[in-house]
Amino acid sequence: MSTVLISGASIAGPALAFWLRRRGFDVTVVERAQTLRGGGYPIDIRGTALGVVERMGLLPRLRESHVDTHRITFLNADGSQAASLRPESVSGGDGSDLEVRRGDLAEILFDTVRDDVEFLFEDSIVTMNDHPGGVDVTFRSGRQRTFDHVVGADGLHSVVRGLTFGQEEQFHRYLGYCFAGFTLPNHLGLKHEAVIWNEPGRAAALYAVGDSDTVHGFLPFIRAEAPFGAFHDPQAQRDLVASAFAGDGWEVPTMVEAMRAADDLFFDTVSQIRLPRWSSGRVALVGDAAYAPSFLTGQGSSLALVGAYVLAGHLAAAADHTTAFEAYEREIRPFIEANQGLVAEGDAALFPATAEALAARNAALRERATLPAEAGRPEHSALALPEFGSLSA
Ligand SMILES: Cc1cc2nc3c(=O)[nH]c(=O)nc-3n(C[C@H](O)[C@H](O)[C@H](O)COP(=O)(O)OP(=O)(O)OC[C@H]3O[C@@H](n4cnc5c(N)ncnc54)[C@H](O)[C@@H]3O)c2cc1C
């Protein structure tokens, strides 16, 4: 039985583990965190990715976890309403999208494989030596093992990508924004809704999932340079966010205070990963590690799910890994690039850079609110899922 080591247990990692197990592989997943990481903003599963979760048998559970947001309200700097819309009018979905908390999706995927996949939590790959007989891996814990293949599903700042292709800066396409996500008490009593406040170049969003007594806070802001130095420094991240929002009104001071105290802070840049190739030898990449589209596209989790399904299918079907990895890439690269192309540097409609652009955005939103919901964006469904024959388990 071929052995595969997957680095990362969020969305792409467990989804790939599911499909590889079903196709007869012996799978190990290594995750840097102590346990499966909960939290994170609600994410969308839509278009082609809905077909993947349907084939995994997960639609009923995901429908139960569906967030069912009723409206998104945009506010002016003084807290007055600028526009209020149905969520699909903002995201470009067609109403069939599933919206679930990222942590719920990670847990649902984990549950499908927890009993027949080996998980190594609180560990990380340190070195890899790829040779004709396999990949020799050394872990931070001191473990040493050899696997037939290694797949990096370890996100935007992937260690597997770094060890295989070199420094992140070469592939990191910074779109000009940073953001912090965290939870805080729902003291405004929001229900099934998101509220987004704007100043030019900044937004403060509160996202209420159902009628929970906590909300997701989200503080994105424009910044000319990507703060590479802050990626491994939570205190620097907190200071960076606090200084970007210093002196702002509405609920911002309360949010900044909650951000400083949060134990679930998620800070990152709004960026894409664009690599000329997604594999080298016996090592391949999937999800954000290979082709992060940025949250502005709302497609990160969907691309991760589709990539996992297609990669596992080709690895099982092809005579060797070189053919499999080439077929995986050939099959989905146009789909990935179409989705990455949904946003460009500095054009985020959620936080326009100038007062004029913000006023124009608000006028456009008010007009959109009066129109019937659009059909979903064609890019979301631009790939017809391939069939890979019968499953072994
Ligand atoms: C806790 C958390 C919160 C998030 N919140 C948001 C959000 O608010 N907004 C947003 O747009 N996106 C967020 N994301 C990213 C979002 O989940 C991804 O864009 C998308 O779902 C694609 O998933 P992925 O599995 O490819 O990558 P990711 O979801 O980024 O998962 C990567 C996984 O790899 C693990 N990992 C990283 N380095 C190593 C290593 N060296 N060794 C082993 N494991 C490693 C991470 O802990 C993580 O579990 C969040 C991710 C996480 C993990």
Side-chain angles (χ1 to χ4, degrees), residues 11-259:
I11 309 302
L16 180 65
F18 173 94
W19 287 110
L20 287 174
R21 273 301 298 145
R22 290 299 174 97
R23 299 195 177 279
F25 289 81
D26 189 355
V27 183
T28 300
V29 179
V30 58
E31 164 60 48
R32 188 173 54 183
Q34 277 179 335
T35 54
L36 196 71
R37 298 176 65 184
Y41 211 54
I43 54 89
D44 297 301
I45 305 170
R46 57 161 88 95
T48 302
L50 284 170
V52 176
V53 292
E54 184 177 12
R55 287 171 194 213
M56 296 174 88
L58 296 180
L59 273 182
R61 265 196 85 181
L62 288 168
R63 287 207 177 103
E64 274 169 35
S65 301
H66 179 54
V67 164
D68 192 22
T69 301
H70 297 170
R71 71 170 179 271
I72 300 181
T73 303
F74 290 84
L75 303 179
N76 298 308
D78 64 1
S80 59
Q81 182 173 312
S84 188
L85 295 89
R86 294 274 315 154
E88 53 271 23
S89 303
V90 179
S91 68
D94 64 0
S96 67
D97 300 6
L98 285 171
E99 189 190 21
V100 291
R101 294 182 219 224
R102 192 208 65 85
D104 288 350
L105 176 59
E107 199 169 315
I108 289 169
L109 293 169
F110 177 65
D111 276 353
T112 65
V113 289
R114 63 192 311 159
D115 294 333
D116 49 7
V117 162
E118 179 190 26
F119 279 86
L120 308 174
F121 282 104
E122 233 184 328
D123 211 349
S124 175
I125 298 172
V126 178
T127 65
M128 296 191 298
N129 176 26
D130 186 347
H131 56 83
V135 188
D136 298 335
V137 177
T138 316
F139 295 87
R140 202 183 47 204
S141 59
R143 282 186 186 103
Q144 295 189 337
R145 305 249 302 256
T146 300
F147 299 88
D148 293 313
H149 312 288
V150 176
V151 181
D154 42 4
L156 194 62
H157 311 295
S158 167
V159 160
V160 172
R161 187 186 60 232
L163 291 171
T164 311
F165 294 104
Q167 280 215 322
E168 177 169 328
E169 281 85 335
Q170 307 167 67
F171 315 114
H172 185 117
R173 182 160 178 253
Y174 179 56
L175 296 180
Y177 313 93
C178 299
F179 70 97
F182 51 95
T183 49
L184 71 163
N186 183 6
H187 67 279
L188 295 182
L190 302 172
K191 288 184 182 140
H192 293 279
E193 64 186 310
V195 178
I196 304 175
W197 166 98
N198 278 107
E199 277 274 16
R202 301 188 293 293
L206 293 171
Y207 207 129
V209 173
D211 54 5
S212 165
D213 51 11
T214 57
V215 283
H216 296 279
F218 196 58
L219 292 169
F221 58 96
I222 285 185
R223 186 184 153 90
E225 304 287 330
F228 284 105
F231 286 147
H232 303 291
D233 185 347
Q235 191 51 45
Q237 297 169 1
R238 289 183 157 90
D239 291 345
L240 201 65
V241 180
S243 69
F245 287 88
D248 281 332
W250 187 59
E251 292 291 319
V252 174
T254 310
M255 291 179 70
V256 169
E257 205 178 309
M259 180 275 301

Side-chain angles (χ1 to χ4, degrees), residues 302-391:
S302 290
L303 300 190
L305 289 164
V306 171
Y309 169 81
V310 175
L311 174 56
H314 282 298
L315 206 50
D320 59 75
H321 59 267
T322 309
T323 314
F325 293 158
E326 281 172 10
Y328 155 61
E329 183 156 346
R330 201 171 42 246
E331 182 116 46
I332 66 164
R333 196 177 261 281
F335 170 64
I336 299 292
E337 288 180 352
N339 281 281
Q340 288 190 319
L342 289 170
V343 295
E345 192 175 329
D347 77 347
L350 283 179
F351 22 93
T354 64
E356 297 71 38
L358 185 52
R361 193 279 316 257
N362 287 343
L365 286 175
R366 280 191 293 273
E367 192 184 327
R368 216 188 287 173
T370 64
L371 302 173
E374 297 170 30
R377 296 217 166 93
E379 291 84 352
H380 297 162
S381 312
L383 180 78
L385 282 181
E387 300 294 339
F388 291 109
S390 61
L391 296 168

